Amino acid sequence: MPVKRSAKSVSKSTGDDEPIEITNWIDKMHKAFDDLSESRTSTREESLEIIVNVFACHRVFDHIESRLEEILALFKKSLMRNSSTKEACLAARAIALTFINLEDLSESEGDDLYRKILKPLRSRIKDCEDIDIKVNSLQTLALITYIAASDIDKQLVREYIFDLIETDGAEFSVDELSPHDMDRLLFEATRAYGLLYAASFTSGFVDFEVLWEEVEKVMPVHEIMLESTDKDNRIASGENIALMFETVNIFLAADDEEDEEEDGMVKPEYDNMDGLIHTLKGLSLDSNRHRAKSDRAEQKSVFRDIVKSVEENIKPVEELKINGRVLTFRGWAKILPLNAFRRCLGQGFQYHVKANPMMKEIFRYSTGFSSRHQLDSDDDSGDEIGFRRWSTKIDENITLK
């Protein structure tokens, strides 16, 4: 276990009373931790910006393991302060990045850390009236639940977020939000729900009856959201619908193989399937002149993939190219979580795809990179990264070329 550092010692003054410049990212990070206890808001904001950048662009677990609880307590304190929206939002992202960087912890240790931060995040989502704090807390809650929560906590948080969507935030302090801000909140909640649906129903043991009950419960609300005036809400709900049918079709295909000789089997079918397909196809052909041309183009592109998934069981495919190697992600169950990690990590996404063992475990791929020294470099000048997406009917989840 690494020895606890105090970055304050690094910044002692010289004989000329000039501070020594800190150039090592590890020392910068530890000094930033110490500065989170300062009373000046701007100092804490600057410290959180340093921490977010370091956590996004490096593997930090070995350097924070001995201070994990202390660090999360500092982040929680910044999250709950009411003096600065910027500080609270940065703290929320720092919490998410902490969980992305967790290595070599048992499930129980990860769950213990998760439970220490669960209540404050839920409190900020429900009681805070600032839309930016609500949204950032919601993004973090969904991502750390996906990463570290037990099955029952995934279910409880998924139900908590669906309640927000279904009731238009009736119990979530939204009375002072503008229509635009309300659309933002529902959009983030819908994306969060999709991430947690993937967490609950796309890996491990899944009871199809429980899955189908969930689909029947949430599908009508998603259908209503397809009629939203907000393009992002329409797309998020459509992607969730595609994810749900993707998981249903996996089970039905398995049943076909196991029960092909049995007679009289009744397979479940969504009550409003014809109406749903009609709505989805309409959105894939949208020519509404009242909507911006760029919005129509984006919507049509996404909903073409959604229609293929729902109607023909064709999975979308996304390629990620790093240093000449191609990772191929197939299906909404891989692509939606991948996008959640991409949004959180920002410029550090390609680094963590290459170096973070947790990412490799979640998405089940190998990059062929193994040297920590090689990967923990600030120089990404040789990296090449690109994305391409299309649809294909295929069963595998991930391949590496």
Side-chain angles (χ1 to χ4, degrees):
M1 184 175 293
V3 177
K4 178 178 175 181
R5 298 168 178 256
S6 175
K8 290 182 178 178
S9 63
V10 183
S11 58
K12 287 182 179 178
S13 298
T14 65
D16 298 326
D17 291 329
E18 293 181 359
I20 297 173
E21 182 181 3
I22 301 174
T23 57
N24 183 290
W25 67 263
I26 300 170
D27 294 327
K28 283 184 179 180
M29 176 183 70
H30 283 283
K31 183 179 187 303
F33 293 151
D34 294 335
D35 286 345
L36 287 179
S37 299
E38 296 291 332
S39 59
R40 188 187 295 270
T41 301
S42 60
T43 300
R44 297 195 303 271
E45 291 173 349
E46 290 168 6
S47 298
L48 283 165
E49 286 179 327
I50 291 170
I51 292 165
V52 163
N53 182 64
V54 169
F55 279 26
C57 297
H58 299 276
R59 287 177 66 183
V60 301
F61 180 77
D62 287 347
H63 308 288
I64 67 173
E65 182 182 6
S66 62
R67 304 183 67 179
L68 264 176
E69 292 196 17
E70 172 200 354
I71 291 165
L72 281 175
L74 288 168
F75 293 164
K76 181 169 70 172
K77 190 172 182 180
S78 284
L79 175 69
M80 299 305 292
R81 290 181 188 271
N82 293 315
S83 56
S84 167
T85 295
K86 181 179 180 181
E87 179 180 4
C89 292
L90 285 167
R93 189 175 174 204
I95 291 166
L97 290 167
T98 302
F99 279 82
I100 290 176
N101 275 283
L102 293 183
E103 300 177 26
D104 302 324
L105 287 182
S106 66
E107 287 187 13
S108 62
E109 289 172 321
D111 187 60
D112 286 344
L113 292 175
Y114 171 79
R115 289 183 171 278
K116 291 179 188 299
I117 208 69
L118 175 60
K119 186 175 179 180
L121 284 170
R122 288 180 60 140
S123 172
R124 292 309 251 169
I125 295 167
K126 192 164 188 177
D127 300 326
C128 180
E129 296 181 353
D130 187 295
I131 183 59
D132 291 318
I133 296 175
K134 278 183 177 294
V135 162
N136 279 272
S137 298
L138 186 55
Q139 291 169 342
T140 292
L141 175 62
L143 192 57
I144 70 171
T145 301
Y146 181 89
I147 292 170
S150 64
D151 289 344
I152 186 61
D153 279 328
K154 288 173 183 175
Q155 176 188 339
L156 292 173
V157 174
R158 191 180 72 246
E159 291 173 351
Y160 172 81
I161 291 174
F162 181 68
D163 181 60
L164 190 164
I165 299 169
E166 186 178 32
T167 64
D168 286 334
E171 302 295 328
F172 288 80
S173 304
V174 299
D175 291 345
E176 301 301 319
L177 295 185
S178 67
H180 172 72
D181 287 344
M182 192 66 214
D183 282 337
R184 279 186 64 195
L185 181 62
L186 290 174
F187 167 58
E188 292 297 344
T190 304
R191 286 206 300 200
Y193 176 84
L195 181 61
L196 296 182
Y197 179 95
S200 295
F201 296 115
T202 65
S203 63
F205 174 78
V206 178
D207 185 326
F208 181 74
E209 290 185 3
V210 175
L211 182 154
W212 185 250
E213 182 180 340
E214 181 77 4
V215 170
E216 290 194 306
K217 179 180 77 174
V218 305
M219 191 66 72
V221 174
H222 280 77
E223 280 197 80
I224 292 171
M225 293 187 68
L226 292 175
E227 306 294 337
S228 171
T229 57
D230 181 77
K231 177 260 300 180
D232 290 334
N233 276 318
R234 295 193 298 271
I235 289 176
S237 59
E239 289 180 335
N240 284 359
I241 288 169
L243 169 64
M244 286 184 267
F245 277 98
E246 181 177 276
T247 57
V248 168
N249 287 331
I250 289 172
F251 275 88
L252 294 183
D255 284 342
D256 282 342
E257 294 177 4
E258 294 176 4
D259 302 315
E260 57 184 3
E261 296 182 359
E262 293 186 13
D263 296 325
M265 179 183 176
V266 179
K267 295 183 178 180
E269 184 172 335
Y270 181 55
D271 289 342
N272 191 37
M273 195 65 186
D274 291 341
L276 175 61
I277 294 291
H278 177 78
T279 301
L280 295 175
K281 285 185 174 180
L283 291 167
S284 72
L285 302 169
D286 188 8
S287 59
N288 189 332
R289 297 299 178 183
H290 295 293
R291 294 171 181 162
K293 185 176 181 180
S294 59
D295 285 354
R296 296 201 306 272
E298 179 185 0
Q299 177 177 289
K300 286 192 285 188
S301 175
V302 175
F303 273 92
R304 288 188 190 113
D305 283 347
I306 292 169
V307 169
K308 290 176 183 177
S309 293
V310 175
E311 191 172 36
E312 304 173 52
N313 193 21
I314 297 177
K315 295 182 178 181
V317 176
E318 183 164 317
E319 283 189 347
L320 173 59
K321 185 177 181 182
I322 302 179
N323 292 70
R325 308 191 77 181
V326 180
L327 289 172
T328 304
F329 298 83
R330 295 187 175 89
W332 301 101
K334 297 295 181 184
I335 292 173
L336 296 187
L338 185 73
N339 287 338
F341 280 91
R342 181 185 289 136
R343 288 189 295 270
C344 183
L345 286 163
Q347 64 179 351
F349 175 68
Q350 60 177 311
Y351 172 80
H352 278 270
V353 169
K354 290 188 297 184
N356 190 325
M358 186 195 69
M359 296 277 287
K360 295 176 183 179
E361 182 179 350
I362 288 174
F363 294 105
R364 300 175 187 173
Y365 65 86
S366 171
T367 58
F369 298 103
S370 59
S371 169
R372 177 173 298 192
H373 175 74
Q374 174 190 0
L375 289 172
D376 205 18
S377 167
D378 289 332
D379 181 13
D380 287 331
S381 58
D383 286 348
E384 180 183 9
I385 185 166
F387 304 97
R388 191 157 65 98
R389 180 162 138 186
W390 71 95
S391 295
T392 182
K393 193 167 187 176
I394 195 161
D395 293 329
E396 298 86 2
N397 289 320
I398 288 186
T399 60
L400 173 66
K401 299 177 183 177

